[in-house]
């Protein structure tokens, strides 16, 4: 068995554990609050992140919803639930549809119960770097609407400080017309900045789902108590749309370990 298959197994197991825990907690809470479910329709809204790990989370979410609905039908229960999923990118919208989940939007569902997403690195305080796949702006918007953000990753993403393992830098989405002056201003803050270019068939810069460019700003290893300050400095630069620093947003992280176990870290 090669290393890649072990990593994928770890990601899958962590994703399944994260979805199972959150799904059951939500159902139990709603049933306890209102045992007469036939009188009301309860809407549960999930945020579905982007990336390779979330493929497994979407699969498991679909399975749990089907199991719940089948159990209700078999037991002649009148539990009236509607499950809606909010995507964070084109990729995650495709995941939702492929797994036959009901897709929604933030206009109709501005409050999300739980958001599942991956990360490129997580520090000791659960601050995250995201955006390796270029979707961090929409991911952060969806995560900001969630009552809980649950991160799922393999143990390669587990660090004491950001920048220890993810050495590409902080992804920063910027308006194309301003990327040159923004580069200069970020370099003045002490970072090495590169414009992300396509490594596939397309020639030129990577373009986000929002039509913008991505800069990768390497500040080296970032002390946990400096993450928020760096994030605020970057966001103050005109033309910066959003950073890949998720500061004080995650409530729980599930790490799939190389030995087959799952490690859970909470605030």
């Amino acid at each position: 068995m090669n290393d890649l298959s072990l990593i994928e197994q770890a990601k899958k197991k962590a994703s399944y554990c994260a979805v199972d825990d959150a799904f059951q907690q939500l159902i139990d809470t709603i049933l306890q609050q209102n045992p007469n479910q036939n009188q009301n329709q309860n809407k549960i809204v999930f945020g579905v992140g982007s990336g390779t790990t979330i493929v497994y989370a979407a699969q498991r979410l679909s399975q749990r919803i089907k199991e719940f609905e089948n159990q209700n039908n078999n037991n002649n229960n009148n539990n009236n639930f509607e499950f809606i999923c909010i995507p964070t990118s084109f990729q995650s919208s495709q995941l939702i549809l492929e797994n036959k989940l009901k897709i929604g939007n933030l206009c109709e569902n501005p409050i999300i119960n739980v958001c599942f997403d991956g990360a490129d690195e997580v520090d000791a305080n659960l601050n995250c770097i995201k955006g390796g796949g270029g979707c961090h702006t929409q991911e952060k918007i969806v995560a900001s609407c969630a009552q809980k953000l649950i991160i799922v990753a393999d143990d390669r993403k587990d660090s004491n400080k950001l920048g220890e393992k993810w050495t590409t830098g902080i992804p920063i989405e910027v308006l194309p017309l301003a990327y040159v002056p923004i580069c200069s201003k970020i370099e003045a803050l002490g970072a090495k900045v590169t414009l992300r270019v396509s490594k596939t068939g397309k020639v030129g810069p990577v373009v986000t789902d929002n039509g913008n460019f991505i800069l990768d700003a390497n500040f080296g290893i970032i002390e946990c108590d400096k993450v928020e300050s760096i994030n605020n400095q970057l966001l103050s630069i005109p033309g910066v749309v959003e950073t890949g620093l998720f500061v004080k947003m995650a409530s729980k992280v599930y790490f799939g370990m190389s030995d087959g176990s799952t490690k859970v870290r909470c605030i």
Side-chain angles (χ1 to χ4, degrees):
M1 187 178 294
N2 58 42
D3 289 340
L4 182 60
S5 65
L6 289 172
I7 291 168
E8 290 303 311
Q9 286 183 33
K11 287 156 65 172
K12 181 176 181 179
K13 184 173 181 180
S15 296
Y16 276 43
C17 287
V19 172
D20 286 347
D21 289 351
F23 187 88
Q24 196 58 53
Q25 287 173 9
L26 278 172
I27 296 296
D28 289 346
T29 299
I30 291 173
L31 290 177
Q32 288 171 6
Q33 291 174 346
N34 183 13
N36 298 316
Q37 295 302 310
N38 59 324
Q39 298 177 7
N40 300 288
Q41 183 176 52
N42 290 281
K43 181 169 67 174
I44 295 181
V45 183
F46 296 102
V48 178
S50 308
T52 57
T53 306
I54 298 305
V55 171
Y56 301 116
Q59 290 174 355
R60 186 55 176 166
L61 189 56
S62 178
Q63 291 170 6
R64 287 306 305 263
I65 290 173
K66 289 176 183 176
E67 290 170 1
F68 179 78
E69 291 174 342
N70 289 337
Q71 184 179 11
N72 276 345
N73 291 334
N74 292 336
N75 295 336
N76 294 319
N77 289 337
N78 292 320
N79 294 329
N80 197 4
F81 282 84
E82 180 185 19
F83 300 97
I84 298 173
C85 295
I86 310 298
T88 59
S89 65
F90 176 81
Q91 180 226 9
S92 71
S93 66
Q94 296 304 110
L95 276 177
I96 291 168
L97 295 173
E98 287 169 7
N99 286 281
K100 302 188 186 308
L101 295 162
K102 183 174 182 179
I103 195 167
N105 58 64
L106 290 175
C107 292
E108 296 176 314
N109 307 280
I111 299 175
I112 296 170
N113 296 97
V114 177
C115 180
F116 300 102
D117 211 340
D120 298 306
E121 190 172 31
V122 183
D123 74 10
N125 290 349
L126 303 194
N127 297 313
C128 304
I129 290 179
K130 292 176 51 55
C135 306
H136 55 280
T137 296
Q138 292 186 42
E139 289 173 338
K140 191 178 282 190
I141 292 170
V142 172
S144 72
C145 297
Q147 294 169 337
K148 289 184 179 180
L149 171 61
I150 296 176
I151 298 294
V152 187
D154 61 78
D155 60 357
R156 298 174 301 171
K157 314 299 175 64
D158 186 8
S159 295
N160 287 320
K161 302 173 185 178
L162 297 181
E164 288 180 341
K165 296 179 180 179
W166 181 258
T167 57
T168 306
I170 301 165
I172 305 168
E173 185 165 348
V174 302
L175 296 178
L177 66 89
Y179 88 91
V180 171
I182 290 173
C183 281
S184 298
K185 291 173 182 177
I186 296 175
E187 286 171 348
L189 296 176
K192 180 179 179 181
V193 186
T194 56
L195 174 66
R196 189 181 298 184
V197 296
S198 175
K199 296 180 181 179
T200 56
K202 179 186 178 297
V203 177
V206 169
V207 178
T208 70
D209 287 356
N210 308 310
N212 297 316
F213 291 171
I214 295 177
L215 303 177
D216 291 300
N218 191 339
F219 285 86
I221 296 175
I222 306 173
E223 298 293 331
C224 293
D225 61 355
K226 301 296 184 183
V227 176
E228 187 170 10
S229 174
I230 290 174
N231 187 57
N232 291 338
Q233 287 179 295
L234 293 172
L235 289 173
S236 72
I237 299 173
V240 168
V241 177
E242 191 52 86
T243 79
L245 288 173
F246 282 53
V247 185
K248 300 177 182 177
M249 296 186 74
S251 57
K252 186 178 290 188
V253 182
Y254 288 74
F255 289 109
M257 310 302 289
S258 55
D259 63 2
S261 63
T262 298
K263 181 172 80 172
V264 181
R265 282 210 281 123
C266 306
I267 293 295

